[in-house]
Amino acid sequence: MAEKPQPVRVLYCAVCSLPAEYCEFGPDLEKCKPWLIQNTPDLYPDLAEELNSREADKVGEQLQSTGISSPASSAPKAEEVKHLPGGKIKKKDKKEVVIEKVVRNKRKCITTVKGLELFGVKLSDASKKLGKKFATGASVVKGPTEKEQIDVQGDISYDIVEFITDTWPDVPETAIFFIEDGKKVPAV
Amino acid sequence: MFKKFSAEEVSAQNQVKASVQRKIRQSIADEYPGLEPVLDDLLPKKSPLIVAKCQNHLNLVLVNNVPLFFNIRDGPYMPTLRLLHQYPNIMKKLQVDRGAIKFVLSGANIMCPGLTSPGGSLDEEVGAETPVAIMAEGKQHALAIGFTKMSAKDIKAINKGIGVDNMHYLNDGLWKMERLE
């Protein structure tokens, strides 16, 4: 083995995230095709040919029917195809507030509130307000992976929804979730 | 195993103690000697190592929120496929024939005939109960990570039934989880 083996850079398909050579076994080869043809023409030679012949047919048809010059008509087509598969894979980070009740000591528990910062709420202010409203301790705690959350002593999971929506109108009720038995349950 | 796997199955993630971190490093280094030169880059001593505990006694080793290794109970640490793709030579390799790819990618365990047929190949030295990389006929990169049920010799001799348990394969839950927040 060499001194320091360089990491191999593997080409991953932007559509299905598999290495390009496995696209044919992926969930949807049809969607990957445009990307494959653009990025790895040598891996699937049949695909390119198939597309070329199809495109040629199309262009030919168009030429016959409308008489538009071929490069102008084929260019926007290709772009359209590219857009569709790309838009679907990337999920947007959802803005949501997650409320979880953690039982600490048989009948004592802590309610943690995650994700308030996504709505532009200052966490330190929020924890102060929560503590005041419920007359308990509330603190901003750093989660294990750099994420901040608010811990409130006591079980306030039922009143907290109303409180959040009242105090910060930016937070819609539909964006609030409970975690019950490890499952996410919408608050409404 | 990771067929249905999402961030919701992570029950707790903790930054581990330095001593535990050392132990994990050590066992990974023992398991994958080929990884040793780059281990410092992968698991920097300074940056915090996070272990995520999941259901079914599963642990994930995370650095900078990226899952790098996983193990079950106290079993051996296995790299994730993304990591294996970067350093393909760290594990022993078994190759399956083309017909098996489809099944492996939907989570099936690897049956002996798929390994012994003309398209497959076996590393004779592989013993039972070791993590292996599953390669495929005509493909460059690994498509799964398995845990052998019997030794390579037995696979050849018996040639029936499950030879390798499929732990982690392309496009399963762990593969889709590029980062864990």
Side-chain angles (χ1 to χ4, degrees):
Chain A
M1 189 134 302
E3 291 282 287
K4 203 168 196 182
Q6 282 301 309
V8 177
R9 290 186 62 87
V10 181
L11 185 68
Y12 293 121
C13 172
V15 180
C16 61
S17 87
L18 298 181
E21 55 180 5
Y22 284 106
C23 272
E24 55 179 320
F25 294 102
D28 206 341
L29 178 59
E30 287 297 320
K31 277 187 198 155
C32 303
K33 270 181 184 169
W35 185 89
L36 286 172
I37 289 160
Q38 280 228 319
N39 293 279
T40 59
D42 44 335
L43 202 61
Y44 295 105
D46 317 351
L47 277 188
E49 267 168 40
E50 190 187 314
L51 191 90
N52 277 343
S53 64
R54 233 193 288 164
E55 202 116 288
D57 284 352
K58 246 188 244 161
V59 172
E61 268 171 41
Q62 271 172 349
L63 267 179
Q64 276 180 352
S65 58
T66 57
I68 306 169
S69 59
S70 60
S73 64
S74 66
K77 264 265 154 68
E79 225 166 38
E80 240 173 74
V81 176
K82 246 194 298 170
H83 248 299
L84 269 175
K88 271 206 171 164
I89 38 153
K90 284 241 164 166
K91 260 193 253 161
K92 245 193 215 164
D93 263 346
K94 263 196 214 145
K95 276 175 147 191
E96 57 188 24
V97 176
V98 179
I99 297 162
E100 190 177 4
K101 196 179 107 178
V102 184
V103 178
R104 222 187 77 229
N105 195 348
K106 273 188 188 163
R107 56 199 181 85
K108 291 185 180 170
C109 45
I110 288 173
T111 312
T112 63
V113 183
K114 290 176 199 160
L116 265 182
E117 74 275 9
L118 299 174
F119 295 91
V121 177
K122 254 199 171 171
L123 287 187
S124 51
D125 288 355
S127 77
K128 210 158 217 175
K129 275 183 187 159
L130 282 169
K132 226 171 202 168
K133 161 89 183 164
F134 297 106
T136 53
S139 57
V140 179
V141 177
K142 237 185 188 161
T145 43
E146 311 277 291
K147 264 210 170 161
E148 291 191 327
Q149 60 187 43
I150 302 178
D151 276 8
V152 189
Q153 283 177 22
D155 181 5
I156 55 164
S157 47
Y158 283 94
D159 308 324
I160 198 170
V161 178
E162 204 182 329
F163 176 73
I164 289 176
T165 45
D166 281 356
T167 336
W168 299 285
D170 292 350
V171 185
E173 216 170 328
T174 45
I176 303 177
F177 291 91
F178 286 119
I179 291 185
E180 274 165 17
D181 308 327
K183 268 185 220 150
K184 235 183 218 176
V185 183
V188 204
Chain B
M1 192 176 78
F2 289 109
K3 188 156 193 176
K4 286 187 197 130
F5 186 75
S6 63
E8 274 163 31
E9 296 202 15
V10 178
S11 50
Q13 34 182 316
N14 296 92
Q15 188 179 329
V16 292
K17 284 192 283 191
S19 61
V20 180
Q21 189 168 344
R22 265 203 309 276
K23 226 167 84 189
I24 293 175
R25 274 179 71 93
Q26 188 57 44
S27 55
I28 290 174
D30 288 347
E31 188 90 31
Y32 307 106
L35 210 54
E36 208 150 6
V38 287
L39 204 55
D40 273 332
D41 296 346
L42 287 178
L43 312 172
K45 277 188 180 129
K46 289 272 164 57
S47 76
L49 193 70
I50 289 167
V51 170
K53 288 191 176 165
C54 313
Q55 279 159 25
N56 301 330
H57 306 276
L58 177 75
N59 292 318
L60 293 178
V61 178
L62 314 177
V63 174
N64 298 328
N65 291 342
V66 180
L68 291 180
F69 293 92
F70 62 92
N71 83 330
I72 297 177
R73 291 175 194 268
D74 287 328
Y77 284 90
M78 285 174 251
T80 58
L81 271 170
R82 277 179 213 275
L83 181 68
L84 180 70
H85 283 159
Q86 285 175 15
Y87 305 100
N89 293 319
I90 56 173
M91 292 176 94
K92 296 239 171 70
K93 294 173 190 167
L94 300 183
Q95 188 183 315
V96 296
D97 59 17
R98 215 183 137 78
I101 299 176
K102 194 172 85 188
F103 300 103
V104 175
L105 287 190
S106 46
N109 293 328
I110 291 99
M111 304 289 163
C112 292
L115 294 162
T116 50
S117 71
S121 75
L122 279 166
D123 190 331
E124 287 281 336
E125 288 161 23
V126 176
E129 319 243 305
T130 37
V132 286
I134 311 291
M135 318 298 280
E137 180 187 2
K139 304 287 181 194
Q140 218 181 336
H141 305 296
L143 83 161
I145 285 172
F147 192 67
T148 52
K149 278 274 150 188
M150 38 179 134
S151 66
K153 278 179 192 140
D154 279 351
I155 290 178
K156 258 194 177 157
I158 299 172
N159 202 12
K160 218 172 193 179
I162 297 170
V164 184
D165 259 350
N166 193 348
M167 306 303 269
H168 168 37
Y169 55 94
L170 286 178
N171 229 0
D172 67 357
L174 181 60
W175 172 263
K176 283 179 187 146
M177 189 162 57
E178 272 177 79
R179 302 176 65 78
L180 180 67
E181 300 299 332

